[in-house]
Amino acid sequence: VSLAGATDVGFVANPYGFINTNVIHVNWTPYLFAPLWGLHPTPAWLYGIQTLWSLVFSSFFAAAVLRRLDPKDWRPKTVVALAVLISSGLLSIINQMGQLLVFAGPLMLAVYHAALTRRRGWFYFWFVALCFVSEDATMAGLTFGLYFVVFEPENRREGARAAAFAFAYLAFQLGIL
């Protein structure tokens, strides 16, 4: 296997498959799935867990968000959202070698649903879970928090606090790396 570009992230040689996806990232939330993965610890089951998590919880939160935004016509919009989800690159995660960032999608929808329903505790819970997926998810969370500050005036305070948490946690993560 060519290691072209691998020196950019500190690797000179990698004799162990998939080790690079774990040693350069700060992951917490994905390890909540470890007991489930422990039932059948294979790459195929990891992909299965990721696919089930993404399809089931993205479907649930997408429907909940759309029901909240458009109580009258949420059903056809949910069908379109699910069609996009199923036809997207989500089902090709095998090509991503178990990229743990896949766990972030449903969490972002959960954060948005909590914001729409004005459930601050759940907003912060889901937001922290999002940031704990990886430093990449923390960067997305920082941007997502700023989205609330700029575009969702009724959730501006929560967005600012979330963005501040994400910024501080990202600085901590990057300090570790």
Side-chain angles (χ1 to χ4, degrees):
V1 175
S2 169
L3 291 176
T7 55
D8 293 345
V9 290
F11 293 114
V12 178
N14 183 7
Y16 307 103
F18 300 101
I19 195 168
N20 63 327
T21 63
N22 296 316
V23 299
I24 63 170
H25 294 287
V26 180
N27 307 106
W28 299 106
T29 302
Y31 291 103
L32 295 175
F33 295 87
L36 185 58
W37 182 75
L39 297 173
H40 187 65
T42 64
W45 182 226
L46 174 61
Y47 305 144
I49 291 169
Q50 289 179 318
T51 302
L52 289 171
W53 164 257
S54 294
L55 289 176
V56 171
F57 285 93
S58 290
S59 298
F60 174 79
F61 283 114
V65 165
L66 290 168
R67 188 179 308 122
R68 177 63 81 171
L69 292 175
D70 190 0
K72 184 178 165 193
D73 292 323
W74 68 273
R75 284 182 180 87
K77 292 178 181 180
T78 299
V79 169
V80 171
L82 298 181
V84 170
L85 176 68
I86 291 170
S87 66
S88 70
L90 171 67
L91 298 180
S92 67
I93 61 171
I94 291 175
N95 295 332
Q96 298 298 317
M97 295 187 220
Q99 173 61 264
L100 298 179
L101 189 57
V102 172
F103 286 106
L107 295 172
M108 291 185 81
L109 286 168
V111 169
Y112 193 68
H113 180 260
L116 288 176
T117 57
R118 308 290 293 151
R119 294 183 175 140
R120 289 184 182 96
W122 282 111
F123 178 90
Y124 294 124
F125 173 82
W126 292 122
F127 190 86
V128 169
L130 169 65
C131 290
F132 281 7
V133 168
S134 71
E135 71 281 356
D136 298 334
T138 306
M139 290 180 214
L142 174 59
T143 305
F144 201 31
L146 294 175
Y147 160 82
F148 286 106
V149 170
V150 175
F151 296 108
E152 303 275 346
E154 64 278 358
N155 293 301
R156 187 167 283 145
R157 179 181 300 143
E158 289 80 10
R161 289 177 180 163
F165 170 79
F167 182 79
Y169 186 59
L170 181 61
F172 175 72
Q173 288 173 313
L174 295 179
I176 290 172
L177 292 178

